[in-house]
Every structure is written in structure tokens, then in C-alpha cells.
Amino acid sequence: MKSLAIISSLAPLASALCYRDPSLHARSEFTPPSFGYTGLQGPLNWHGLSADNIACAEGTHQSPISIDTSAGNIPVVKGERLSLELDSYFFGTEVENLGTTVEVPANGTLNRDGKAYNLVQFHFHTSSEHRIDDETYAMEAHFVFRAEDQSLSVVGILIDVSSHGPTSRFFTNALSNVHDIPHAGDIGETGPLFSGEIEDLVSGSDVFQYNGSLTTPPCSEGVAWNVVRDPVYVSAKTYRAAKSVLRFNSRYTQNAPGEINLLQNAVETIGAANDE
Ligand SMILES: *[C@@H]1O[C@H](CO)[C@@H](O)[C@H](O)[C@H]1NC(C)=O
Ligand SMILES: *[C@@H]1O[C@H](CO)[C@@H](O)[C@H](O)[C@H]1NC(C)=O
Ligand SMILES: [Zn+2]
């Protein structure tokens, strides 16, 4: 009864939010993205856009990676160990086009190796950034968590397209109004987000864990990655709506953790070839 009372007291607020015109709510302080995914703005030149991005070219624990399940170098844990909990948003919540992704600020908690993290936001990539045994997926969602010491842990969920069979209500609703926010700085509303689906997915799946980096500049390392093995599905309609707004925003897979950065390797091998 108590929760019903809370829900009905929120109803007027929710209906007001439903009529928000995203174009009227574009943030005046919005700063355009400082990087992109094509040409000299793209991942092969992120280090050239700012001296702060040097880890993109020289880091040896960079993300994303292609996870080789037979190699055994990426530990697998049961997802229930993460104790993932997300808040639900019964009337939807804000979603913003950042120019490089579409992001939903949200709350939740995660526990990894005894360390507590709080959710900051989740966002999307097309196509997936991680690959499993070199298989790519249509999209990937990243749930970004931060600990009190400011270190980050990210839960990556692979999303594929299904022409029949069950689709993810959570991601379908997260993206249901994505066509309303086509431009960088646009802010809109998601549909209702029920967190149980994501909590159940993660707790019932194997999860690959490795120490990697941000997949966007400045490519900072020390990010504790959790890539959920079981994918979820959205309809072709949802995928195409998301793709038309997100465009291509996926960094190429990096060398295996601990191995030389592929850009550093290119510098050395091109230099050696020129010396011959
Ligand atoms: C997350 O929680 C904080 C603190 O309670 C609150 O101020 C904020 O509005 C919440 N964010 C969302 C998206 O609900
Ligand atoms: C990640 O790094 C931390 C600290 O360096 C270490 O304790 C942990 O075992 C590493 N985890 C993985 C999965 O490599
Ligand atoms: Zn991401």
C-alpha cells in the first residue's frame, strides 16, 4: 500500500515530464564532444587531440578487448557475486544525447572484490565494443560505477537484434524516445525502467572480469571491467532508431591486457621498416 501511495503522489510530476519538449531543454552549458569516431577525430588519433589522451596510444591495459573464452586469461565469475542493484524509474527518467553517446543518469550499487561502487550513468555503443570469441553484437550498454576513492567499475551488457522471441523491456524503454533527441545536447525522457530484469540477467550470467580502461578519451586505466556473457535482445525497430541517433561510436578492440599498445606497436614497426 505504501508503494502505491508513493506512485500516485508522483503521477502528476510524471505526466508533466512526459510532455517535455527536448528542444526546449537542450542544456545551455552543453559542451560539444572533443573527440569522434571517424578520421582524425577518431580512435586512431585520440592521442593527437590532447596531451591528456596519451594512454590511448601508449597504455597496455586498454579497452575494449576481444575476449577469447578458450584462452582462460580473462577470469570468469558468477554474476551474482557482483550484487548488482539498480533503482527503477517507474515513470521514466532523463536521457541525454552527448554527441558521442546517449546517456541515462541513474542510481544503483555494485560490489566487486569487496569494494562498493555507486552507479553514475549508463550509455550505449553501436556496434558492441567488446567481442566474445571475436563475435560482435549490435550494441553494448555500459553501466558506469564509481567507488568512494573515485575508481571506476563498468558493467558491459551485449545487446543483439531479435526478429522473434523475447526482447529486453528495460533497453526497449530506455531507447523508446531516442528519436526525440537526434542532436548533441538534446535531453529527453526514457520509458519506464524496471531494474529487476537487469539484476536478474547479471546475477544469472557468467561475467568476464579484467582490468582495463575507459573506451573513450582520455582512455584512463584502472577500470575494473565486468562483461556479461549472456546477451539481451531488442527489436530491429529499436535497434534502427538507436543506430540512427548514436551513429557509429565503437572503439576498435585493443591488444590483450598487458601486451603492447597497437598504436605504439605501429610506431615501432613502421619506424623499423623505414630504417631498412
Ligand atoms: C540519484 O540519487 C541522488 C541522491 O539521492 C539524487 O539526488 C538523484 O536525483 C538520483 N538520480 C536519479 C537519476 O534518480
Ligand atoms: C585488477 O587489479 C587489481 C589491483 O591491481 C587486482 O587486485 C585484481 O586481481 C585485478 N583483477 C583482474 C581480474 O585482473
Ligand atoms: Zn562506454
Side-chain angles (χ1 to χ4, degrees), residues 5 28 50 119-121 170 208 236:
S28 49
S50 162
L119 184 62
V120 182
Q121 43 92 352
F170 185 93
F208 298 105

Side-chain angles (χ1 to χ4, degrees), residues 23 77 116 127 152 160 181 184 234 238 269 274:
S23 62
V77 302
S127 52
L152 299 177
D160 230 343
I181 53 166
V234 294
T238 296
T269 52
N274 286 340

Side-chain angles (χ1 to χ4, degrees), residues 32-115:
S34 59
F35 66 94
Y37 286 90
T38 305
L40 291 179
Q41 288 294 111
L44 286 174
N45 191 44
W46 283 349
H47 62 281
L49 302 176
S50 162
D52 295 339
N53 300 346
I54 194 62
C56 303
E58 295 184 351
T60 57
H61 292 81
Q62 289 287 294
S63 297
I65 57 170
S66 182
I67 295 165
D68 181 347
T69 60
S70 63
N73 60 332
I74 305 297
V76 185
V77 302
K78 296 285 175 207
E80 61 197 5
R81 273 187 44 187
L82 293 176
S83 307
L84 175 75
E85 288 184 20
L86 305 177
D87 283 5
S88 286
Y89 297 91
F90 300 107
F91 303 105
T93 188
E94 210 167 73
V95 54
E96 180 169 6
N97 184 336
L98 299 183
T100 52
T101 189
V102 162
E103 184 170 295
V104 179
N107 287 321
T109 53
L110 174 82
N111 195 294
R112 194 187 194 266
D113 297 330
K115 189 166 170 177

